[in-house]
Amino acid sequence: LFNRYDGKQVKLSDFRGKVVVVNFWEASCKTCKQEKPGLSRMARGADDDELAVLTLAGNESWDDVRALFPQGAPFEVFLDAPAADQVIGPIGAAWGVTGWPETFVIDAKGVIRYHYVSYRDWESSIAQTCLQALIDEA
């Protein structure tokens, strides 16, 4: 379960039938900040019936997240706050995340098809081709 800023809980299975990009990041991560503009443009240009972009911020509070997106993010943002003695939040740890950014691309049937560690250019032709191929399979 992912917890939204408004307290609503969302399940990954709620997005079955769509290709889902799940991006783990942290607000002070420089590489994450470099990746966000391309991820944002990709999310804005996506057909909501075909592709969902979900991001999990590994921050302790929503304040740092809101500071990066004062007008709101073009994708779903969930908080994955780490415990006091941890760096990675519990959801990220359950997924095997070891740092930021890390991204998983899940097909319409719920199968993880791609796992990217570190920065990804979401507007590159390779990234777009991979996503479109999964969308076309659905």
Side-chain angles (χ1 to χ4, degrees):
L1 290 175
F2 302 154
N3 293 310
R4 285 184 10 172
Y5 67 93
D6 60 4
K8 180 181 176 188
Q9 291 188 324
V10 176
K11 295 181 282 188
L12 190 56
S13 61
D14 295 340
F15 300 92
R16 188 72 38 95
K18 299 180 184 186
V19 173
V20 182
V21 175
V22 180
N23 176 258
F24 291 87
W25 62 289
E26 199 271 339
S28 66
C29 165
K30 289 180 183 177
T31 305
C32 300
K33 288 179 186 177
Q34 291 172 339
E35 184 180 50
K36 286 297 167 273
L39 188 67
S40 295
R41 286 187 292 273
M42 188 258 302
R44 275 191 209 98
D47 181 337
D48 291 341
D49 292 331
E50 298 177 337
L51 180 74
V53 179
L54 314 177
T55 69
L56 289 100
N59 292 86
E60 293 178 18
S61 78
W62 284 105
D63 295 338
D64 296 326
V65 175
R66 287 187 188 111
L68 287 179
F69 300 103
Q71 306 300 318
F75 40 73
E76 289 272 8
V77 180
F78 303 94
L79 199 61
D80 187 25
D85 61 341
Q86 300 294 311
V87 174
I88 303 296
I91 298 169
W95 283 59
V97 171
T98 58
W100 301 292
E102 279 194 42
T103 305
F104 298 82
V105 180
I106 302 167
D107 70 17
K109 295 176 185 153
V111 177
I112 296 173
R113 298 288 292 272
Y114 302 105
H115 174 216
Y116 301 107
V117 177
S118 196
Y119 174 87
R120 181 80 179 159
D121 179 359
W122 293 103
E123 296 176 298
S124 72
S125 61
I126 292 172
Q128 292 297 310
T129 299
C130 290
L131 290 173
Q132 191 60 52
L134 293 178
I135 289 167
D136 292 345
E137 278 181 15

